[in-house]
Amino acid sequence: MSYLVKNLTQGSRELIAFRIGDQEFCVNIMSVREIRGWTPATPMPHSPSYMKGVLNLRGAVLPIIDLSARLGMRPTEPSPRHVIIVAQVNRKVVGLLVEAVSDILTVTDENIQPTPEISSDLEKQFARGILAIDKRMICLVELDGLFPEESEAA
């Protein structure tokens, strides 16, 4: 059963939920540009281990990030059932490889519980809270925290 509120009230926000393995995560829907089916990416030499490669997205180079690997989980072996969430992160557009998009959620700040104090430093960078909805535990991911802007070196 889905947790949807018909009318957006002041202070509410829409989130897009997705699965990675047996866990659910969500991001602010305003960061999402589109959702695409999996397309093999061209690997890039000397890239971080979580970067699957790049795709040509309507003439623009789109880096594809294995979100599972970036979150410190097992790297994804993509299949045709996987999807790419094209999202705006800081000032860059990136593709986030996930297993499947599962839901669109409308929540208020009261629905978001703080992350546990025992969280690791990496989790504190990206986890902005936990949603307990319909017996599901969904981690709210702050994409800007996952991919901090690198300082512009001259």
Side-chain angles (χ1 to χ4, degrees), residues 17-18 36 40 57 81 104 107-108 124 127 140-141 144:
F18 53 89
R36 307 172 45 89
L57 181 65
R81 66 182 174 86
I104 295 176
V107 300
T108 61
K124 289 177 187 172
L140 173 58
V141 174
D144 293 348

Side-chain angles (χ1 to χ4, degrees), residues 78-93:
S79 71
R81 66 182 174 86
H82 286 81
V83 297
I84 297 170
I85 298 173
V86 179
Q88 180 82 34
V89 180
N90 295 315
R91 293 184 300 228
K92 299 176 182 143
V93 177

Side-chain angles (χ1 to χ4, degrees), residues 14 21 36-37 42-43 48 67 76 86 106 120 122 127 130 134 141:
E14 286 192 311
R36 307 172 45 89
T42 303
L67 199 50
T76 302
V86 179
T106 302
S120 71
L122 177 63
I130 304 291
D134 296 333
V141 174

Side-chain angles (χ1 to χ4, degrees), residues 22-98:
D22 59 355
Q23 295 184 345
E24 279 191 284
F25 298 87
C26 61
V27 295
N28 188 324
I29 201 165
M30 296 306 292
S31 299
V32 176
R33 300 291 174 248
E34 67 180 277
I35 299 168
R36 307 172 45 89
W38 168 248
T39 305
T42 303
M44 295 297 295
H46 305 292
S47 61
S49 60
Y50 55 82
M51 187 170 162
K52 285 291 187 191
V54 295
L55 290 178
N56 179 347
L57 181 65
R58 293 182 289 283
V61 175
L62 180 70
I64 304 300
I65 306 300
D66 179 352
L67 199 50
S68 179
R70 181 63 184 112
L71 295 173
M73 299 162 54
R74 181 181 316 144
T76 302
E77 289 301 324
S79 71
R81 66 182 174 86
H82 286 81
V83 297
I84 297 170
I85 298 173
V86 179
Q88 180 82 34
V89 180
N90 295 315
R91 293 184 300 228
K92 299 176 182 143
V93 177
V94 299
L96 306 171
L97 174 62
V98 301

